[in-house]
Amino acid sequence: MTLVLRTTDRPAETTPVVPVIPAGTDPLLQLEYETQPPSGPGATRCLSHPRALALRGIPVMCTACRARRDWLLINHGRNVWFCCRCSNQWLEPEISRADFDALIAIPDGTTYPSVEQGLTALGFDGAFAGTYLD
Protein backbone atom coordinates (compact mmCIF):
# COMPACT_ATOMS: atom_id res chain seq x y z
CA MET A 1 0.00 0.00 0.00
CA THR A 2 1.32 3.43 -0.89
CA LEU A 3 0.17 6.50 0.97
CA VAL A 4 -0.65 9.29 -1.43
CA LEU A 5 -1.05 12.56 0.39
CA ARG A 6 -3.44 14.54 -1.77
CA THR A 7 -3.46 18.33 -1.83
CA THR A 8 -5.17 20.98 -3.84
CA ASP A 9 -2.05 23.15 -3.75
CA ARG A 10 1.11 22.83 -5.74
CA PRO A 11 2.88 19.50 -5.21
CA ALA A 12 5.28 19.59 -2.30
CA GLU A 13 8.75 18.18 -2.54
CA THR A 14 9.17 15.50 0.11
CA THR A 15 12.79 15.56 1.13
CA PRO A 16 13.86 13.80 4.30
CA VAL A 17 15.14 16.04 7.06
CA VAL A 18 18.60 14.82 7.99
CA PRO A 19 20.35 16.49 10.90
CA VAL A 20 23.76 17.94 10.11
CA ILE A 21 26.43 16.28 12.20
CA PRO A 22 29.87 17.86 12.24
CA ALA A 23 32.71 15.55 11.21
CA GLY A 24 34.64 14.02 14.07
CA THR A 25 31.99 14.52 16.73
CA ASP A 26 31.51 12.51 19.87
CA PRO A 27 29.58 9.23 19.27
CA LEU A 28 27.17 10.12 22.08
CA LEU A 29 26.34 13.43 20.38
CA GLN A 30 25.86 11.58 17.11
CA LEU A 31 23.44 9.16 18.84
CA GLU A 32 21.57 12.11 20.31
CA TYR A 33 21.14 13.64 16.84
CA GLU A 34 19.99 10.34 15.36
CA THR A 35 17.34 9.75 18.03
CA GLN A 36 15.76 13.20 17.81
CA PRO A 37 12.07 13.12 16.82
CA PRO A 38 11.33 14.50 13.36
CA SER A 39 10.75 18.23 13.33
CA GLY A 40 10.77 21.12 10.94
CA PRO A 41 8.72 21.86 7.84
CA GLY A 42 9.70 18.62 6.06
CA ALA A 43 8.77 16.29 8.92
CA THR A 44 5.76 13.99 8.72
CA ARG A 45 4.01 13.35 12.03
CA CYS A 46 1.18 10.96 12.85
CA LEU A 47 -1.32 11.03 15.70
CA SER A 48 -3.77 8.27 16.58
CA HIS A 49 -7.16 9.62 17.69
CA PRO A 50 -9.52 6.87 18.93
CA ARG A 51 -12.50 9.12 19.74
CA ALA A 52 -14.98 10.73 17.38
CA LEU A 53 -14.13 14.17 16.00
CA ALA A 54 -16.44 16.98 14.98
CA LEU A 55 -15.30 19.83 12.75
CA ARG A 56 -17.46 22.93 13.09
CA GLY A 57 -20.15 20.75 14.66
CA ILE A 58 -20.17 18.18 11.84
CA PRO A 59 -18.96 14.68 12.82
CA VAL A 60 -16.06 13.33 10.77
CA MET A 61 -17.08 10.21 8.87
CA CYS A 62 -15.17 7.97 6.45
CA THR A 63 -16.75 8.07 3.01
CA ALA A 64 -15.62 4.51 2.23
CA CYS A 65 -16.71 2.52 5.31
CA ARG A 66 -18.80 5.09 7.24
CA ALA A 67 -16.60 4.87 10.39
CA ARG A 68 -17.05 7.74 12.84
CA ARG A 69 -14.05 7.27 15.15
CA ASP A 70 -10.59 5.72 15.43
CA TRP A 71 -8.58 8.01 13.13
CA LEU A 72 -4.96 8.50 12.25
CA LEU A 73 -4.12 12.15 11.63
CA ILE A 74 -1.08 12.73 9.43
CA ASN A 75 0.62 16.13 9.40
CA HIS A 76 3.08 17.13 6.70
CA GLY A 77 3.91 20.80 6.30
CA ARG A 78 0.75 22.81 6.80
CA ASN A 79 -1.59 20.02 5.68
CA VAL A 80 -3.38 17.43 7.81
CA TRP A 81 -4.82 14.21 6.41
CA PHE A 82 -7.26 11.78 7.99
CA CYS A 83 -6.68 8.06 7.57
CA CYS A 84 -9.30 5.44 8.45
CA ARG A 85 -8.73 1.80 9.42
CA CYS A 86 -10.00 0.81 5.96
CA SER A 87 -6.99 2.78 4.56
CA ASN A 88 -9.19 5.51 3.08
CA GLN A 89 -7.49 8.90 3.41
CA TRP A 90 -8.36 12.50 2.66
CA LEU A 91 -6.99 15.99 3.13
CA GLU A 92 -8.83 17.90 5.84
CA PRO A 93 -8.50 21.66 5.29
CA GLU A 94 -10.44 22.40 8.50
CA ILE A 95 -7.49 21.28 10.66
CA SER A 96 -4.38 23.44 10.60
CA ARG A 97 -0.90 22.57 11.80
CA ALA A 98 -1.61 24.58 14.97
CA ASP A 99 -4.73 22.47 15.62
CA PHE A 100 -2.66 19.31 15.08
CA ASP A 101 -0.02 20.56 17.54
CA ALA A 102 -2.75 21.23 20.11
CA LEU A 103 -3.94 17.60 19.84
CA ILE A 104 -0.50 16.19 20.62
CA ALA A 105 -0.30 15.55 24.35
CA ILE A 106 2.25 12.72 24.34
CA PRO A 107 5.79 14.04 24.93
CA ASP A 108 7.47 11.11 23.22
CA GLY A 109 6.15 8.87 20.50
CA THR A 110 7.34 6.11 18.24
CA THR A 111 9.19 7.21 15.13
CA TYR A 112 8.87 5.09 11.99
CA PRO A 113 11.26 5.18 9.02
CA SER A 114 8.42 5.90 6.58
CA VAL A 115 4.73 6.78 6.60
CA GLU A 116 3.88 3.41 5.04
CA GLN A 117 5.68 1.51 7.82
CA GLY A 118 3.90 3.64 10.41
CA LEU A 119 0.51 2.93 8.83
CA THR A 120 1.23 -0.80 8.89
CA ALA A 121 2.50 -0.77 12.48
CA LEU A 122 -0.49 1.24 13.71
CA GLY A 123 -3.05 -0.86 11.79
CA PHE A 124 -4.22 1.79 9.32
CA ASP A 125 -3.18 -0.12 6.20
CA GLY A 126 -6.58 -1.74 5.67
CA ALA A 127 -5.85 -4.89 7.71
CA PHE A 128 -8.40 -3.87 10.37
CA ALA A 129 -11.04 -2.48 8.01
CA GLY A 130 -14.47 -2.48 9.63
CA THR A 131 -13.20 -2.78 13.22
CA TYR A 132 -12.64 -0.35 16.05
CA LEU A 133 -9.54 -0.98 18.12
CA ASP A 134 -9.97 0.52 21.60
Side-chain angles (χ1 to χ4, degrees), residues 15-88:
T15 56
V17 177
V18 180
V20 178
I21 303 171
T25 59
D26 184 350
L28 291 176
L29 290 176
Q30 184 174 357
L31 180 64
E32 181 182 346
Y33 279 116
E34 291 172 357
T35 58
Q36 290 290 325
S39 63
T44 301
R45 303 176 300 160
C46 298
L47 171 68
S48 180
H49 195 281
R51 298 181 310 269
L53 279 173
L55 303 175
R56 294 189 182 183
I58 301 171
V60 175
M61 184 173 65
C62 176
T63 57
C65 71
R66 315 295 276 176
R68 294 181 180 263
R69 62 185 175 103
D70 202 12
W71 308 111
L72 181 68
L73 282 70
I74 303 169
N75 170 238
H76 181 77
R78 60 186 173 104
N79 298 312
V80 176
W81 285 264
F82 271 72
C83 187
C84 180
R85 291 272 177 204
C86 72
S87 77
N88 184 31

Side-chain angles (χ1 to χ4, degrees), residues 84-85 118-129 133:
C84 180
R85 291 272 177 204
L119 290 174
T120 302
L122 296 170
F124 285 91
D125 60 347
F128 296 106
L133 302 177

